[in-house]
Amino acid sequence: MTEPLQWARYHWQRPTGSENRDDHERPYSYSSFLAFRGKSSQTPRLAGKHRVVVPHLQPFKDEYEKFSGTYVNNRIRTTKYTLLNFVPRNLFEQFHRVANLYFLFLAVLNWVPLVEAFQKEITMLPLVAVLTIIAIKDGLEDYRKYKLDKQINNLVTKVYSRKEKKYVDRCWKDVTVGDFIRLSCNEVIPADMVLLFSTDPDGICHIETSSLDGESNLKQRQVVRGYTEQDSEVDPEKFSSRIECESPNNDLNRFRGFLEHSNRERVGLSKENVLLRGCTIRNTEAVMGIVVYAGHETKAMLNNSGPRYKRSNLERRANTDVLCCVLLLVIMCLTGALGHGIWLSRYENIPFFNIPEPDGHVISPVLGGFYMFWTMIILLQVLIPISLYVSIEIVKLGQIYFIQSDVDFYNEKMDSTVQCRALNITEDLGQIQYLFSDKTGTLTENKMVFRRCSVAGFDYCHEENAKRLESYQEAASEDDDSADTPSGSLSNMAKPRAPSCRMVRSGPLGSISSNHLTGSCFALGGGASEVPHSRQAAFSSPIETDVVPDTRLLDKFSQITPQLFTPLDETIPDPPLETLYIIDFFIALAICNTVVVSAPNQPRQKIGLSSLHAMPIKSLEEIKSLFQRLSVRRSNSPSLASGKEPSSGVPNAFVSRLSLFSRMKPASPVEEEISQTSKSPQGSGNSACPIETEKQDSNVDVTNGKVESLPGQPLACSLCYEAESPDEAALVYAARAYQCTLQSRTPEQVMVDFAALGPLTFQVLHILPFDSVRKRMSVVVRHPISNQVVVYTKGADSVIMELLSVASPDGPGLEKQQTMLREKTQQHLDAYTKRGLRTLCVAKRVMSDTEYAEWLRHHFLAETSIDNREELLLESAMRLENKLTLLGATGVEDRLQEGVPESIEALHKAGIKIWMLTGDKQETAVNIAYACKLLEPEDKLFILNTESKNACEMLMDTILKELQKKNPASPEQASSEALHQPPAPPDSGLRAGLIINGRTLEFALQESLQRRFLELAARCHAVVCCRATPLQKSEVVKLVRSHLRVMTLAIGDGANDVSMIQVADVGIGISGQEGMQAVMASDFAISQFKHLSKLLLVHGHWCYTRLSNMILYFFYKNVEHP
Amino acid sequence: MKRKSQDCPSRLPDNSAVKQQQLPAYRLQLSANKILFGFFATGVFCLGVGVILLLSAKTIKEVEINYTEKCANCAKLRENAANFDKECNCSIPFVLPETMKGNVYMYYKLYGFYQNLYRYILSRSNSQLVGTDVKDVRNCAPFKTSHNGIPIAPCGAIANSMFNDTIILSYNLNSSIHIKVPMIRSGITWWTDKYVKFQNPSFQNLSSAFAGTTKPPNWPKPAYELDEEDPGNNGFINDDFIVWMRTAAFPTFKKLYRRLHRIEHFTEGLPAGSYSFNITYNFPVNRFQGEKAVVLSTLTWSGGSSLFLGLAYMVTGAVTWLAFFSMLAVHLRLRERKMFFLQQ
C-alpha cells in the first residue's frame, strides 16, 4: 500500500546542526574550487571558460571595460523580428514552407513568355494574399511578445549609483554586470547576483524559487563568507574585490567562482551565495548583491530553451499529401510533354493546328515537348491547393475563437478563461496519446489543509472544518439556484451538530461565495478585511490558515487549566491522562517542525530572538559547551544580538523570562475569559483570533509595552508561518486554531502561547531533522513546566508505530492503554489514508537528564566521526527515537483541484496515458497519484529507485519479466518497431503503475537503457516520476515523443515545467498562482486542470475532425475538378 | 440569474448558441441498411436511364461517308500549295436504304485534326471577333499580320485553318433528275455565339468595316465575302465561321454544316433512294494524316447517335450494383458472425 510520508524537509536547516555542516562543507568546496582554479590557470583550455566581474563603478572603469564590457546587459528580447528585418525575415520564414515556394516558382514561371498561360499579374495575386495574411498574423503575435518583453524590461529595481551615492530606481533592462542591487522583501530578483549583504543577522536570505524549479518552499541563501560578520551594509564604494566565476550556463544547481579581495585573499562562492533571476526574496527585509550574469546569460533565461515552431501533425500529413500532389503533377506534365513530343514528331509536315513561332519557323518536337512541360505545370497548378494553407489558418482562427468563447472554461474566481497562444495546433489537441503532468499546482491546489486528527485514541473529525472546506469548493462551482438559500456565514457553520463523522458533500452552505468567506474570515482575523493577496506569503491562504476547531476537542480543551500542572510536584491525583495527551499533542504540533515565524507586514522581521547563532561558531565543542550552558540557565546575554533587531531581540528575551514567571501565577482574568469563550463552542471558531489579540495585549502589558517592533499590532493573528513544506505550516495553523500558538522560534528556544497555560518557552536541546530514511523528525526540548527532557517525534505512521514503547515503565495498566490507543489510532490512520489524507503520527518520550546526557555524548561522537558518519547519525537517532508514547495522529490534505480525478478518469478512458512528473518526493507524489485516481488501489506498483545504473538495469529487467509473465503480451510488443503501438488494452489483466525517482530516471534516460525504460513505461498504466528536475522532465517528454512517435501533451504551472511544455507537441500552462512563465511558454493556458478533459475530448476532437474533413475536401476539390 | 447579470465579470464568454456551438445541426447517421439501400437505388436508376438512352440512340439513323479516299485525286492536288486556286470537285453517290424521318442534319467530320491543341485554341483575338477592334491581333501570332504588316481579320490559327469544303447533297429521283436537297445554313450555331460573342464591327458597309485589314493567308476570300447569297451572313457572324471557331475537344469531331429544309419532297425527311454529295474539295487533310467525312443524321430527345452516355449510365449502374451486392454479402456475414457470438 501507500507509504504516506507526511512532511517535506529538504534541507538540513538553520538550527544547531546547520553550522556544523556548513563548517564542514564550506572549506571543502572552497579547497576543491581552488584546486580547480589552480589547474585552470595553467591550462589555457579552461582560460576562456570563466568570467571576471568587477564593480560597475567609476574607480574600476578601466578594469570593467577590460573584463565585463562585453557581457550582455539585462535587457531581454524574445521577439523574432525587429521593425527593420520584419519583411525580409518574415518572407524568409514563410518561404520555408514548401507550398509557398512552389507558388512563388509558379508565379515566376508565368513570367516566362514561352510558357506563360495566364495573365502574369493575376497569378501573383493568391500568393501575395497568402503571404500578407500570414505576415500580419506573425506580426501581431510578435508584437504581443514585444509588449511583454517591454513590460519585463521596464520593471524597476534599485541600483547603486555612484553619482548620487545611493540606490536609485532603474529599469531592469539598464542593469549591467557589476551593478550593485538592493532588493527588499517580496521583490523579484532582476539578474543573477552574488549575495553580499542581508539584513538577517545570520547573513541568510530566504528566496522562493517556485518560478524556477516549482518548489514552493523557501530556500536559504548565504551571504558570501567574510561579509556575514559585518554589522553594517556593504558599502559599494568600498567594495574593491573582484569576482571570478564560470561562464554562463544553464545549471541551476551549480555556481562556481571565488571572490578575490584586494589583498589577494580568495573566498569561494557556491550556489548558496547566488540569487537567481526570477526568484523572489522572502522573509528578509533587504538584501544587497552584485550582478554576475545579466539578461540572456542568467541561468533562468538559459534554462528557457527558445520556443520551437510547432507544426501540427495534421499539417505535416497535409504537407506530405501536397508533396504527393506535386509528384502527381510532375508525372502528369512529363507524360504530357513526352506525348506532345512524340505526337509532333509523327507529322512529316506541319499541320495547321501546330502553330509556328511568331517568326515563322516551327520548333522541333523535343523543344515543343519541353515547353509543353512547363506550360502544363502552370495549367495544372490547381492540382496543388494553394488556398489550402490559408484556409487552414483561417479555420484554425475560427476554432480558436470558439475554444476561447466556451463558457465551460471560464473560471469565476480568477475571471479568466482559456487562452490559445499557439494558433496552429488546435487539432493536435484531439490526437494526444501521452499526457505529462506536473503535480504541484497542476493537479493539486498546493494548499495543505488540516483535516482531522486523532488524539489519545479519539478521532476528531473536524466536521465544521470539513464543511468550511466544502463551502470553498462549492463556492468555486457556484450555481445560480443556490442564491435563494440563506447565505451561510462562519458563525452558523460552526453551529454544533450531532457528532457524526460523515462528511457532507453537498449542502446549503455552497452559496457562500469565496470572496464573502475570505472576507469575513479576515475581518475576524484581525482587521485586515481586504482580500489577501495570494502571494502575500507562502502557504498562507485562508483556506489553509483558518482551521475551525472541533467542538468535542474544544470541550476537552476547556478542562485544561494551569492547575493541572502547578500541583505537579505535590501528591494530588494525576490529571486525566487524555488531557495531558491533548496538551502534548498540540505542543508537538506547534514545536516539532522548522517553521519560521514572521509578521506578514512589510518589514518582515523575524519575530524571535536574534541569537547566538549570529556568533561564528567554530567547532562542535563550542556548541556542546554552549548547550550545556543553555540547559543550565536559559537567559543568555542578549548583547550578542546584532543587526537591525535590537528592539525586538531584547524585549523578547525579556518576555521569555517573564513568561516563565507568569505561568507560575494563577490564571489571569484574561485567561479565565478565554477558557469561558472556548467553552461555548459557537463562538470558538471565529473568536480565536480576537482572543489571541487580547492575549497578546496582555503579554504586552506584562512586558511593559516593550514589544515595540510592531506597535499596536495584533501580533498573534498576523503571525505568518513560513515552512519548508506546506504540511508543517498546516499543522502549526491547526495548533493555532486550538490556541496553541507558535509565537517565535530561534535555534535555542521555541515560544508557544498555549491557551490556558499561557506562554510557554521551550528550550530546544536538539533537533533531529527529517530525512527520508527515518521518515520522521524529532525535537528534544526541556519542558518548561515539568522541567523534563521531552522528545517530540512526528513521522510516518509505519515508522512511528514500530518505535512505540513496548513495555511502559508506568505499569501494566498504562501498557494496556497504550496498546488500545495504538490499535485505535491505527484504525483512524487507515481511515485517513483511505480518504487520501497525508497521515502523520505524533509521539513523545520523556527522558531523564542522565539518559539525555548519555545520548548526547554518543550523538556528538557520531557527529564528529568522519567514517560512515551518516550511519552513526542514523544509529544515534534510532537511540533517541524509541520507547515512544503515542499521542495521536493527524490527517492533512493536499487538496486536489476540483474535478481532477474525474478528468483523469475521463482521459484514461479516452486511452490517453498519463505520466506525472514532479519535483516532489516519492511519497507525496504517490499519495497524490492515488488521490487523483491516476493509480488505483488495486494497481500493482513498481518502484524504480536505485543508486546505480546496473541496479537500475537489473530492476527494470525483473519488472519487465514480471509484467510479461502476468500479462502475456503480444509478441510484437517486444520488438522495437512496435513500441509505438498502443499497449495491451487496459482491461487485460493487471494494471501496473511505475514509480521512478529522479536519480534513477537519470540512468533510465541514458542511451543504453532508454529502450527498456520506454518498453517498461509503455506497459504501465500510469507512470510517476518524482524528484525530477526541469531538464529531466523535458528529457522524458522528448524521449517519449521521439521514440514512441506519439503525440504528447505537457501540462504544468510553474517555470520548472517550461522546458517540458516547450518540448511537448502541445504545451498547456495553468494560469495559477505560480507566475506566468509556464503560461508564456505554453500553447494553451487554462485555469484549472479539469478544463483539460473538455479541451482535449471535445474541442480537440471537433477541431481534428473538422479540419481533416476540410483538408480532404480540399484535395478532392483540387484533384477531381481542376 | 439577476445577480449574475449584475456583476457579470468582464471575461465571461457569451453564452449564446453560436459561440457555444450549440446551433441545431443535423448529422447524417449512416447505417448499413441505409447505405445498402442507397447503393441499390442508385444502381436501379443508372441502369434504367442507361437502357433508355441506349434504346433511344438506337432509333437514330445515321449515314457517314468518308471521302478522303474517294476524292484522292483532289487530295493529291491540294497537297501542293501552289494549286490553291485550282478548283477540284468530287461527286460521291450513295444509297439511302430507308427514309430518314424528321429533321435531318448534315455534318462534316474530321479525323486527326487537333483543334484542342493548347496554343491553337489561344490563337484568336476575342476583341476582334466581338467587333470592338478589328485591328486588335494581340494573341494571334504568327497569323497576326500579313507580310506587309496589315493586320489580319479574323486573325489567328483557328480562323486561318477554317474548314472550307462546300458540300451539296442532291437527290437522284431517277437517273436523269437530280434534285438539289434544300438545306438551311442558318440556325446551326449557339445563340450566344451568334448574337453575343461574334459581332461585326459596326459600320454601314461591311467591307469598309474591314478596311485596313487583310484576309487570313489560307482564305481565298476576305471575311466579308464568305456568303455570297446572304449578305447578312458575312463577316464574323457567318454561321460556318462561328461553328468552326468553337473548337472541338477531341481530334475526331463533327461539326454541324447544314440542316434539311423540309419542303416539297422532303417534308417527311429524307426519303429513301439514291443520293450524291457534290463536294468542292478545298480542305487538305493529308498533311496531318487526317480524314474527312460527311455525316447525315437525325436527332432524338437524348441527342445524337452516340452511345457514350447510355453506356456510361449502364457501367455506373453495374458497378454500383456490384458494390451493393458485395457489401450486402459482407454485411450478412458479419451479422451472422455477431449472431453466432451472441448465441455463445
Side-chain angles (χ1 to χ4, degrees):
Chain A
M1 263 298 289
T2 77
E3 188 109 288
L5 195 62
Q6 321 307 332
W7 78 100
R9 275 226 41 166
Y10 299 151
H11 304 283
W12 181 297
Q13 237 202 352
R14 281 195 315 144
T16 49
S18 70
E19 272 92 356
N20 308 342
R21 201 190 64 141
D22 278 3
D23 268 275
H24 278 294
E25 210 169 78
R26 196 90 56 68
Y28 169 72
S29 63
Y30 179 39
S31 56
S32 72
F33 179 72
L34 279 185
F36 163 73
R37 291 297 317 158
K39 231 187 267 172
S40 80
S41 59
Q42 283 157 13
T43 50
R45 186 171 53 88
L46 287 167
K49 284 198 166 184
H50 68 269
R51 66 159 59 192
V52 179
V53 177
V54 290
H56 183 213
L57 292 171
Q58 212 58 36
F60 310 101
K61 198 165 182 229
D62 290 344
E63 209 182 348
Y64 182 81
E65 298 279 313
K66 190 171 137 207
F67 290 117
S68 323
T70 53
Y71 300 154
V72 297
N73 71 357
N74 207 27
R75 179 193 293 270
I76 56 160
R77 196 174 77 88
T78 56
T79 57
K80 217 193 276 177
Y81 311 110
T82 64
L83 212 56
L84 272 178
N85 74 8
F86 176 73
V87 174
R89 180 126 190 228
N90 185 255
L91 283 179
F92 178 73
E93 299 267 322
Q94 286 202 44
F95 282 122
H96 274 291
R97 226 179 216 172
V98 189
N100 283 343
L101 217 58
Y102 170 75
F103 295 121
L104 178 76
F105 164 72
L106 278 185
V108 169
L109 196 64
N110 208 39
W111 283 79
V112 177
L114 276 175
V115 290
E116 90 168 78
F118 302 116
Q119 286 276 306
K120 298 180 180 83
E121 297 77 15
I122 289 171
T123 44
M124 298 293 289
L125 273 180
L127 184 67
V128 170
V130 170
L131 293 182
T132 328
I133 291 173
I134 306 232
I136 289 173
K137 204 191 80 181
D138 285 354
L140 285 180
E141 256 176 48
D142 216 48
Y143 181 66
R144 214 165 43 174
K145 269 194 214 160
Y146 164 75
K147 277 207 299 200
L148 261 165
D149 281 354
K150 204 170 147 188
Q151 207 182 325
I152 291 171
N153 278 333
N154 286 338
L155 288 174
V156 170
T157 189
K158 280 206 181 314
V159 176
Y160 186 80
S161 154
R162 191 179 152 81
K163 227 179 271 169
E164 295 166 53
K165 302 251 180 237
K166 60 172 186 176
Y167 290 92
V168 292
D169 284 343
R170 220 185 281 171
C171 292
W172 277 30
K173 61 181 176 192
D174 297 326
V175 171
T176 51
V177 172
D179 275 341
F180 290 92
I181 290 180
R182 193 188 151 92
L183 296 167
S184 309
C185 187
N186 292 348
E187 279 185 348
V188 182
I189 300 164
D192 292 356
M193 53 196 223
V194 168
L195 184 61
L196 293 178
F197 168 77
S198 163
T199 46
D200 187 286
D202 311 330
I204 282 171
C205 162
H206 292 260
I207 57 170
E208 192 183 310
T209 57
S210 65
S211 61
L212 278 185
D213 53 18
E215 294 178 23
S216 43
N217 56 351
L218 298 182
K219 304 254 166 66
Q220 290 188 358
R221 289 291 182 263
Q222 284 270 340
V223 168
V224 175
R225 232 160 43 102
Y227 288 90
T228 325
E229 293 81 10
Q230 293 183 5
D231 290 347
S232 60
E233 202 170 323
V234 177
D235 187 0
E237 297 282 335
K238 291 185 190 129
F239 185 90
S240 57
S241 320
R242 59 185 233 185
I243 294 168
E244 269 189 54
C245 54
E246 57 193 349
S247 290
N249 57 56
N250 65 352
D251 192 345
L252 287 178
N253 291 318
R254 195 185 69 178
F255 178 79
R256 288 191 287 196
F258 63 85
L259 191 136
E260 192 177 76
H261 295 299
S262 41
N263 56 5
R264 295 262 154 210
E265 189 193 331
R266 286 178 172 187
V267 181
L269 301 176
S270 70
K271 72 158 193 172
E272 294 293 317
N273 306 117
V274 178
L275 304 178
L276 297 181
R277 179 187 171 119
C279 301
T280 315
I281 307 276
R282 298 274 181 212
N283 257 7
T284 314
E285 192 189 343
V287 297
M288 197 273 269
I290 180 168
V291 175
V292 287
Y293 304 130
H296 286 281
E297 291 178 344
T298 55
K299 290 184 185 286
M301 294 299 285
L302 286 172
N303 253 301
N304 279 1
S305 46
R308 197 167 52 94
Y309 174 70
K310 287 189 178 175
R311 253 185 340 171
S312 71
N313 238 3
L314 196 62
E315 206 175 317
R316 255 173 277 164
R317 276 285 301 278
N319 259 356
T320 55
D321 289 354
V322 165
L323 280 179
C324 286
C325 277
V326 170
L327 199 70
L328 185 69
L329 175 82
V330 169
I331 291 171
M332 282 169 74
C333 292
L334 266 181
T335 318
L338 274 178
H340 186 75
I342 292 167
W343 171 72
L344 273 186
S345 59
R346 264 179 43 217
Y347 296 106
E348 291 139 27
N349 330 36
I350 299 124
F352 297 136
F353 39 78
N354 188 17
I355 305 167
E357 287 297 288
D359 56 9
H361 67 78
V362 177
I363 51 173
S364 72
V366 178
L367 201 61
F370 178 73
Y371 287 157
M372 179 53 73
F373 178 78
W374 298 112
T375 310
M376 281 187 77
I377 280 193
I378 298 179
L379 283 177
L380 298 178
Q381 63 170 326
V382 274
L383 205 62
I384 286 105
I386 183 171
S387 49
L388 176 67
Y389 289 99
V390 183
S391 307
I392 288 178
E393 304 249 333
I394 290 170
V395 165
K396 281 181 181 175
L397 280 182
Q399 289 176 338
I400 280 166
Y401 172 77
F402 278 124
I403 291 177
Q404 285 187 332
S405 54
D406 192 325
V407 161
D408 289 348
F409 291 144
Y410 182 69
N411 182 336
E412 197 170 345
K413 223 184 284 171
M414 292 163 64
D415 185 27
S416 69
T417 178
V418 65
Q419 280 178 55
C420 301
R421 300 174 44 81
L423 301 178
N424 50 357
I425 53 169
T426 48
E427 76 279 6
D428 275 358
L429 287 174
Q431 295 294 296
I432 301 300
Q433 290 162 284
Y434 276 73
L435 192 152
F436 298 90
S437 172
D438 180 37
K439 182 186 76 70
T440 317
T442 307
L443 298 174
T444 66
E445 286 178 333
N446 200 14
K447 286 173 187 163
M448 297 295 161
V449 183
F450 178 79
R451 285 305 290 263
R452 340 182 62 175
C453 65
S454 154
V455 189
F458 287 96
D459 184 19
Y460 301 98
C461 60
H462 288 74
E463 207 183 53
E464 290 83 2
N465 198 32
K467 266 185 268 170
R468 176 182 68 97
L469 297 171
E470 285 299 312
S471 64
Y472 273 107
Q473 218 154 52
E474 282 179 31
S477 62
E478 165 201 41
D479 44 351
D480 292 330
D481 49 9
S482 69
D484 43 12
T485 59
S487 96
S489 73
L490 270 177
S491 58
N492 66 15
M493 273 194 347
K495 225 176 266 176
R497 265 192 158 211
S500 78
C501 284
R502 191 172 50 87
M503 286 220 278
V504 188
R505 273 280 157 207
S506 62
L509 297 160
S511 57
I512 319 154
S513 81
S514 64
N515 265 357
H516 181 176
L517 205 64
T518 50
S520 61
C521 240
F522 262 68
L524 291 165
S529 57
E530 59 180 300
V531 182
H533 194 264
S534 67
R535 296 212 65 97
Q536 197 181 36
F539 325 124
S540 63
S541 77
I543 199 163
E544 294 162 88
T545 58
D546 301 335
V547 178
V548 181
D550 193 87
T551 45
R552 281 191 306 142
L553 195 52
L554 270 178
D555 282 343
K556 285 178 183 161
F557 253 80
S558 62
Q559 296 163 12
I560 302 171
T561 52
Q563 281 84 358
L564 277 177
F565 288 93
T566 36
L568 207 71
D569 36 7
E570 295 159 34
T571 49
I572 284 174
D574 280 336
L577 201 61
E578 191 190 346
T579 317
L580 285 180
Y581 274 165
I582 290 171
I583 294 170
D584 271 334
F585 178 76
F586 281 99
I587 285 175
L589 286 194
I591 67 172
C592 186
N593 52 45
T594 50
V595 166
V596 177
V597 187
S598 69
N601 311 66
Q602 254 309 314
R604 281 200 177 188
Q605 291 172 348
K606 266 186 266 175
I607 306 198
L609 296 173
S610 66
S611 55
L612 297 161
H613 189 77
M615 202 172 71
I617 299 165
K618 291 284 181 272
S619 72
L620 286 164
E621 286 311 308
E622 264 179 332
I623 299 171
K624 192 179 166 187
S625 60
L626 208 137
F627 266 101
Q628 279 158 350
R629 258 187 296 151
L630 277 174
S631 31
V632 176
R633 222 173 71 90
R634 169 55 231 150
S635 87
N636 222 302
S637 158
S639 65
L640 284 164
S642 59
K644 293 218 158 192
E645 293 181 304
S647 57
S648 66
V650 179
N652 272 355
F654 187 44
V655 168
S656 66
R657 257 175 297 167
L658 280 174
S659 60
L660 281 166
F661 161 70
S662 74
R663 73 184 152 78
M664 298 305 279
K665 62 176 189 174
S668 69
V670 179
E671 281 158 358
E672 270 177 14
E673 192 188 308
I674 296 157
S675 46
Q676 270 170 10
T677 358
S678 48
K679 258 175 215 157
S680 76
Q682 173 143 1
S684 59
N686 41 8
S687 60
C689 280
I691 289 164
E692 282 161 7
T693 317
E694 285 174 60
K695 180 180 291 299
Q696 188 52 45
D697 288 342
S698 73
N699 273 345
V700 171
D701 286 343
V702 173
T703 57
N704 298 326
K706 277 193 180 171
V707 184
E708 282 154 4
S709 57
L710 301 156
Q713 277 206 351
L715 190 63
C717 269
S718 55
L719 281 177
C720 258
Y721 300 126
E722 312 225 13
E724 286 199 340
S725 80
D727 310 62
E728 288 195 335
L731 292 181
V732 178
Y733 280 117
R736 195 179 79 170
Y738 289 97
Q739 290 135 52
C740 174
T741 315
L742 177 68
Q743 290 282 18
S744 69
R745 163 181 289 283
T746 62
E748 298 82 32
Q749 62 171 325
V750 177
M751 205 169 98
V752 175
D753 198 352
F754 204 90
L757 301 173
L760 305 174
T761 306
F762 292 86
Q763 260 178 57
V764 178
L765 301 177
H766 214 97
I767 290 183
L768 293 176
F770 173 82
D771 69 54
S772 51
V773 184
R774 278 162 53 228
K775 293 178 181 172
R776 58 186 180 262
M777 80 170 282
S778 298
V779 182
V780 188
V781 293
R782 188 170 290 280
H783 201 286
I785 303 173
S786 61
N787 213 30
Q788 281 170 317
V789 176
V790 183
V791 182
Y792 287 110
T793 306
K794 87 182 167 181
D797 46 359
S798 55
V799 233
I800 298 284
M801 285 302 182
E802 280 164 22
L803 295 171
L804 294 181
S805 60
V806 188
S808 175
D810 298 331
L814 273 173
E815 189 184 326
K816 203 174 169 191
Q817 200 183 2
Q818 268 287 314
T819 327
M820 286 241 311
L821 197 148
R822 229 172 113 173
E823 276 166 15
K824 273 187 183 168
T825 311
Q826 189 59 54
Q827 282 169 14
H828 296 155
L829 281 171
D830 291 346
Y832 293 175
T833 322
K834 239 172 241 166
R835 287 176 187 277
L837 300 183
R838 300 145 72 96
T839 54
L840 273 182
C841 278
V842 180
K844 79 162 188 177
R845 177 187 177 189
V846 181
M847 284 175 113
S848 65
D849 281 359
T850 48
E851 260 180 306
Y852 175 68
E854 176 151 350
W855 175 81
L856 201 64
R857 201 166 50 80
H858 277 105
H859 188 68
F860 278 137
L861 276 177
E863 275 189 334
T864 43
S865 73
I866 297 161
D867 298 327
N868 50 24
R869 180 166 159 233
E870 309 291 317
E871 285 167 35
L872 285 174
L873 278 176
L874 186 67
E875 210 175 287
S876 165
M878 290 291 279
R879 266 205 307 282
L880 184 71
E881 294 157 338
N882 58 16
K883 295 187 205 145
L884 297 170
T885 314
L886 184 65
L887 294 174
T890 58
V892 173
E893 188 178 23
D894 182 8
R895 280 160 59 90
L896 281 182
Q897 278 182 25
E898 199 193 328
V900 167
E902 292 85 349
S903 295
I904 287 191
E905 226 174 346
L907 293 171
H908 262 313
K909 257 188 211 158
I912 297 173
K913 287 196 143 200
I914 302 175
W915 290 38
M916 190 163 92
L917 310 178
T918 172
D920 254 324
K921 59 190 199 307
Q922 187 177 319
E923 290 80 5
T924 324
V926 173
N927 249 0
I928 292 297
Y930 277 112
C932 65
K933 301 239 170 82
L934 186 61
L935 297 172
E936 296 288 342
E938 63 267 23
D939 284 0
K940 178 142 183 62
L941 278 195
F942 296 104
I943 296 170
L944 274 182
N945 188 349
T946 55
E947 291 295 317
S948 76
K949 195 179 159 187
N950 287 339
C952 174
E953 191 173 350
M954 271 165 59
L955 191 58
M956 271 167 38
D957 280 343
T958 42
I959 293 174
L960 264 177
K961 254 179 222 146
E962 189 172 344
L963 274 174
Q964 271 158 352
K965 204 167 55 195
K966 289 242 171 86
N967 220 1
S970 39
E972 86 266 22
Q973 280 278 315
S975 74
S976 54
E977 280 75 24
L979 263 180
H980 58 276
Q981 298 238 326
D987 52 352
S988 77
L990 100 168
R991 285 158 41 113
L994 180 70
I995 319 288
I996 184 163
N997 74 353
R999 203 168 149 65
T1000 320
L1001 196 58
E1002 204 171 292
F1003 303 129
L1005 288 177
Q1006 281 168 15
E1007 197 77 43
S1008 53
L1009 292 183
Q1010 276 180 4
R1011 195 146 281 289
R1012 219 163 305 174
F1013 173 57
L1014 284 175
E1015 198 183 332
L1016 184 57
R1019 285 167 178 279
C1020 287
H1021 181 69
V1023 180
V1024 176
C1025 300
C1026 33
R1027 282 265 175 238
T1029 62
L1031 205 64
Q1032 277 181 334
K1033 286 186 186 182
S1034 75
E1035 268 170 15
V1036 168
V1037 177
K1038 214 184 281 173
L1039 183 73
V1040 171
R1041 199 173 89 98
S1042 56
H1043 281 74
L1044 297 187
R1045 267 166 285 154
V1046 288
M1047 188 69 88
T1048 55
L1049 179 145
I1051 179 167
D1053 70 328
N1056 57 332
D1057 309 316
V1058 166
S1059 51
M1060 156 171 106
I1061 284 172
Q1062 280 176 338
V1063 165
D1065 292 292
V1066 181
I1068 294 193
I1070 296 224
S1071 49
Q1073 301 106 331
E1074 284 206 32
M1076 290 298 285
Q1077 283 93 333
V1079 173
M1080 300 304 302
S1082 65
D1083 304 315
F1084 298 89
I1086 53 179
S1087 47
Q1088 277 174 299
F1089 186 84
K1090 65 169 178 180
H1091 294 155
L1092 196 63
S1093 53
K1094 188 174 183 188
L1095 188 65
L1096 294 191
L1097 304 181
V1098 178
H1099 283 287
H1101 170 74
W1102 275 349
C1103 289
Y1104 187 78
T1105 45
R1106 287 168 185 177
L1107 210 64
S1108 46
N1109 278 335
M1110 192 200 81
I1111 291 174
L1112 283 180
Y1113 180 70
F1114 250 88
F1115 279 110
Y1116 166 73
K1117 170 180 82 78
N1118 277 277
V1119 177
E1120 299 289 312
H1121 307 285
Chain B
M1 224 43 228
K2 206 180 275 172
R3 212 193 44 168
K4 200 166 190 177
S5 61
Q6 273 169 7
D7 51 351
C8 179
S10 54
R11 270 190 259 175
L12 179 68
D14 263 359
N15 198 355
S16 60
V18 178
K19 286 197 170 181
Q20 301 308 314
Q21 308 188 61
Q22 284 163 347
L23 288 173
Y26 178 71
R27 200 167 193 184
L28 193 62
Q29 297 291 327
L30 293 173
S31 66
N33 287 337
K34 274 183 195 167
I35 288 180
L36 284 175
F37 176 76
F39 268 79
F40 181 75
T42 314
V44 167
F45 172 79
C46 288
L47 287 175
V49 171
V51 166
I52 293 168
L53 284 176
L54 284 182
L55 288 179
S56 77
K58 284 286 177 210
T59 62
I60 287 171
K61 304 228 159 39
E62 198 183 54
V63 177
E64 181 183 329
I65 290 154
N66 193 322
Y67 62 93
T68 326
E69 296 294 315
K70 288 170 180 156
C71 305
N73 54 336
C74 286
K76 203 146 199 133
L77 184 77
R78 287 293 165 227
E79 260 176 46
N80 190 347
N83 305 326
F84 69 93
D85 50 350
K86 285 184 189 152
E87 202 162 286
C88 179
N89 283 314
C90 173
S91 178
I92 302 150
F94 71 99
V95 176
L96 201 62
E98 47 188 326
T99 314
M100 293 174 92
K101 281 190 181 151
N103 289 329
V104 179
Y105 298 84
M106 184 156 77
Y107 302 85
Y108 57 88
K109 188 169 184 179
L110 292 177
Y111 291 89
F113 191 95
Y114 287 84
Q115 241 196 337
N116 57 4
L117 188 62
Y118 173 67
R119 282 165 63 208
Y120 178 86
I121 293 172
L122 290 188
S123 184
R124 61 193 279 167
S125 168
N126 282 327
S127 69
Q128 190 183 47
L129 294 174
V130 86
T132 49
D133 185 3
V134 178
K135 289 169 187 167
D136 178 14
V137 289
R138 241 182 315 162
N139 295 324
C140 296
F143 302 104
K144 246 170 146 170
T145 54
S146 63
H147 294 298
N148 39 19
I150 304 165
I152 296 169
C155 71
I158 312 177
N160 188 42
S161 62
M162 186 177 154
F163 182 80
N164 52 0
D165 281 6
T166 318
I167 305 162
I168 293 162
L169 179 64
S170 47
Y171 178 45
N172 307 338
L173 260 178
N174 45 46
S175 57
S176 55
I177 305 168
H178 301 268
I179 306 169
K180 187 183 169 193
V181 179
M183 287 285 179
I184 311 171
R185 62 196 323 172
S186 64
I188 56 174
T189 59
W190 295 26
W191 186 89
T192 44
D193 281 359
K194 177 96 178 174
Y195 297 99
V196 180
K197 284 177 81 178
F198 291 84
Q199 288 298 310
N200 279 326
S202 50
F203 271 96
Q204 295 247 308
N205 191 346
L206 202 56
S207 58
S208 62
F210 281 86
T213 62
T214 181
K215 67 178 179 62
N218 284 5
W219 285 21
K221 293 173 279 190
Y224 49 87
E225 286 170 12
L226 278 174
D227 193 340
E228 285 148 3
E229 296 156 29
D230 181 3
N233 195 22
N234 272 323
F236 297 143
I237 55 168
N238 179 276
D239 279 330
D240 288 336
F241 176 66
I242 293 172
V243 168
W244 180 256
M245 290 302 281
R246 179 158 284 277
T247 50
F250 293 101
T252 301
F253 59 90
K254 61 182 187 189
K255 283 181 184 287
L256 190 53
Y257 185 64
R258 297 286 183 268
R259 56 199 181 102
L260 181 66
H261 194 202
R262 288 162 67 179
I263 47 168
E264 296 164 19
H265 298 282
F266 308 103
T267 43
E268 292 290 309
L270 277 183
S274 145
Y275 291 84
S276 65
F277 283 119
N278 293 314
I279 294 163
T280 316
Y281 197 108
N282 290 324
F283 195 77
V285 289
N286 283 8
R287 248 172 100 165
F288 54 90
Q289 295 140 25
E291 290 177 25
K292 296 196 279 192
V294 60
V295 176
L296 286 172
S297 171
T298 57
L299 286 186
T300 64
W301 59 271
S302 61
S305 65
S306 167
L307 298 179
F308 176 79
L309 197 61
L311 282 177
Y313 266 104
M314 293 293 284
V315 169
T316 311
V319 168
T320 317
W321 266 25
L322 197 72
F324 162 71
F325 283 118
S326 52
M327 282 195 293
L328 186 68
V330 169
H331 178 58
L332 287 179
R333 266 192 73 185
L334 278 181
R335 203 164 57 176
E336 239 167 54
R337 194 179 296 172
K338 214 183 278 171
M339 293 298 282
F340 179 69
F341 275 120
L342 283 176
Q343 277 161 7
Q344 271 194 338

